[in-house]
Amino acid sequence: MNRWQLFKRLAPLLALMVLVLSACGRSDLSTLNPQGPVAEEQFGLMKLAISIMLIVIVVVFAISFYVIIRFRRRPGDKTIPKQVEGSHKLEIIWTVIPIILLVILGVPTVQSVFSLSKDYTKDPEAVKVIVTSHQYWWEFEYPELGIKTAQELIIPTGKTISIEAKSADVLHSFWIPSLAGKIDTNPGANVNVMHFSAPNEGVYLGKCAELCGPSHGLMDFKVKSVDESSFDRWVAALQEPVALPSDPAVKEAFVSKCLTCHAVGDQGGPAFPNLTGIGSRQTVGGILVNTDDPKYKNEGSTEENLHRWIEDPQAVKPGNLMPTVELTEQELDGIAKYLSELTLDYEQ
């Protein structure tokens, strides 16, 4: 079988795959569905670049087809076509046109690069957030508010969010497709800054956009935009003391085996995700979706997801740093129930 025959057989299959795969994905994980001013400006650049490329493709193909048809060799024609090698006019045309197209694309691109790289870390009106990436979770610290949380970035609608991004281990990339382009989080002292805002209330999906290990694809987080009064109540609720489990045995296990690494309220260690309000979050471990109507294998009630995560975290996110904690069934059930009830009531 020669290459042409192989291509003819594979072409329909490849076309079908393109058609099927074009329907994959979700609307809140697409740069083609911008939801904020930063994403909209970046989307505008994408449309400009694609438009220029389409114009070039259409013109080039049109000229090619015209030349193929207009100057094709006729039957019986044995003459040598006119040679145009070295035509200064043609050389000037196909040199000047790309320069014009590059200027059309380059000027707004440079303007946007400088506009989007503006540093808001000293802006008193912006909400400052220090984003620290870990294998495989996200930590969000609000230094001016004295609070720290994980996996869900709560922001006030319409406010500029100033991000300082860094990594606690390997290279990651902080990306909220519908709100802003990605920014690398680097290990060491290097800190990258970016900003964005969400003009509408809602939940926006975030991802790690840099291959960082076996659970890179599971390193999700949420950005939740709420009205300013709800945001203030969330901040206040996160700062309130948190009661420990009422069952003595569960409390002892939670203090000795959970609070050594995690924190709830003002108690516990800061090394791993802060569990305050974990019962209010939309996911457990960033990937187990909390719902009372599960349809997929990564969905379940908050208590079921917590039980599943605590029982065997490596089965959910291979390679993460949480060990399998030795707990009795009573302790496991009690801790999962306690954490599922650890909610923050802040939304109107």
Side-chain angles (χ1 to χ4, degrees):
M1 183 185 299
N2 60 38
R3 292 182 180 180
W4 176 242
Q5 291 176 321
L6 179 63
F7 175 76
K8 285 195 297 184
R9 292 190 178 185
L10 289 178
L13 177 61
L14 293 175
L16 179 62
M17 288 177 62
V18 169
L19 181 63
V20 172
L21 292 175
S22 65
C24 296
R26 41 190 295 170
S27 60
D28 60 350
L29 190 60
S30 173
T31 56
L32 305 181
N33 184 31
Q35 299 296 308
V38 172
E40 287 170 356
E41 184 168 347
Q42 293 170 338
F43 185 52
L45 289 177
M46 290 173 59
K47 290 191 293 184
L48 176 62
I50 292 171
S51 299
I52 291 174
M53 287 187 286
L54 287 175
I55 290 172
V56 171
I57 290 172
V58 169
V59 170
V60 168
F61 271 82
I63 293 174
S64 298
F65 287 130
Y66 171 77
V67 170
I68 290 172
I69 295 172
R70 174 70 177 80
F71 297 103
R72 69 188 186 280
R73 184 183 292 275
R74 269 67 175 183
D77 185 0
K78 303 297 184 180
T79 61
I80 298 176
K82 181 182 177 181
Q83 302 302 300
V84 294
E85 181 181 356
S87 170
H88 294 297
K89 183 184 294 185
L90 288 177
E91 290 176 356
I92 291 172
I93 290 173
W94 62 54
T95 300
V96 170
I97 290 177
I99 291 175
I100 293 173
L101 295 178
L102 286 175
V103 170
I104 294 173
L105 179 60
V107 170
T109 299
V110 172
Q111 289 175 336
S112 290
V113 167
F114 281 96
S115 171
L116 298 178
S117 63
K118 183 177 178 181
D119 187 352
Y120 282 87
T121 56
K122 301 295 189 293
D123 187 340
E125 298 298 319
V127 177
K128 281 80 172 178
V129 181
I130 298 174
V131 174
T132 305
S133 56
H134 303 258
Q135 290 179 306
Y136 299 93
W137 60 281
W138 297 89
E139 179 181 81
F140 305 116
E141 180 181 1
Y142 301 71
E144 294 183 341
L145 303 175
I147 58 175
K148 186 182 293 185
T149 186
Q151 295 303 105
E152 285 195 2
L153 176 60
I154 310 297
I155 62 173
T157 302
K159 297 277 284 188
T160 298
I161 311 301
S162 173
I163 298 293
E164 296 180 63
K166 60 183 181 177
S167 173
D169 36 59
V170 301
L171 180 66
H172 302 273
S173 195
F174 179 76
W175 187 35
I176 317 162
S178 58
L179 290 180
K182 67 177 184 175
I183 187 171
D184 287 344
T185 62
N186 300 314
N190 180 269
V191 176
N192 288 328
V193 299
M194 68 176 291
H195 70 275
F196 64 89
S197 63
N200 303 307
E201 295 180 26
V203 178
Y204 306 90
L205 183 62
K207 300 282 288 186
C208 176
E210 185 73 36
L211 182 60
C212 55
S215 285
H216 157 70
L218 306 178
M219 195 171 164
D220 293 5
F221 65 95
K222 299 287 192 302
V223 177
K224 189 173 184 179
S225 177
V226 298
D227 63 86
E228 196 158 356
S229 59
S230 294
F231 178 76
D232 293 338
R233 285 193 296 272
W234 174 76
V235 173
L238 205 62
Q239 294 170 328
E240 292 177 359
V242 177
L244 293 177
S246 56
D247 185 302
V250 175
K251 177 180 178 180
E252 172 60 29
F254 184 72
V255 171
S256 62
K257 297 180 180 180
C258 299
L259 290 188
T260 52
C261 296
H262 300 276
V264 288
D266 58 352
Q267 306 175 71
F272 291 95
N274 189 317
L275 303 179
T276 307
I278 190 172
S280 301
R281 297 175 190 167
Q282 296 195 349
T283 61
V284 171
I287 196 66
L288 298 178
V289 179
N290 299 329
T291 177
D292 293 326
D293 184 26
K295 294 184 176 66
Y296 304 99
K297 65 179 182 179
N298 69 318
E299 295 182 339
S301 69
T302 305
E303 184 175 343
E304 290 170 344
N305 286 340
L306 284 164
H307 190 287
R308 178 179 169 185
W309 172 263
I310 298 169
E311 185 177 35
D312 191 358
Q314 296 302 320
V316 179
K317 261 188 184 179
N320 81 86
L321 298 183
M322 180 170 170
T324 301
V325 182
E326 293 185 7
L327 297 167
T328 66
E329 196 62 34
Q330 178 190 357
E331 292 169 344
L332 178 57
D333 292 342
I335 291 174
K337 180 176 175 58
Y338 164 73
L339 290 176
S340 69
E341 296 172 349
L342 210 58
T343 59
L344 300 177
D345 183 18
Y346 61 91
E347 294 188 80
Q348 292 180 333

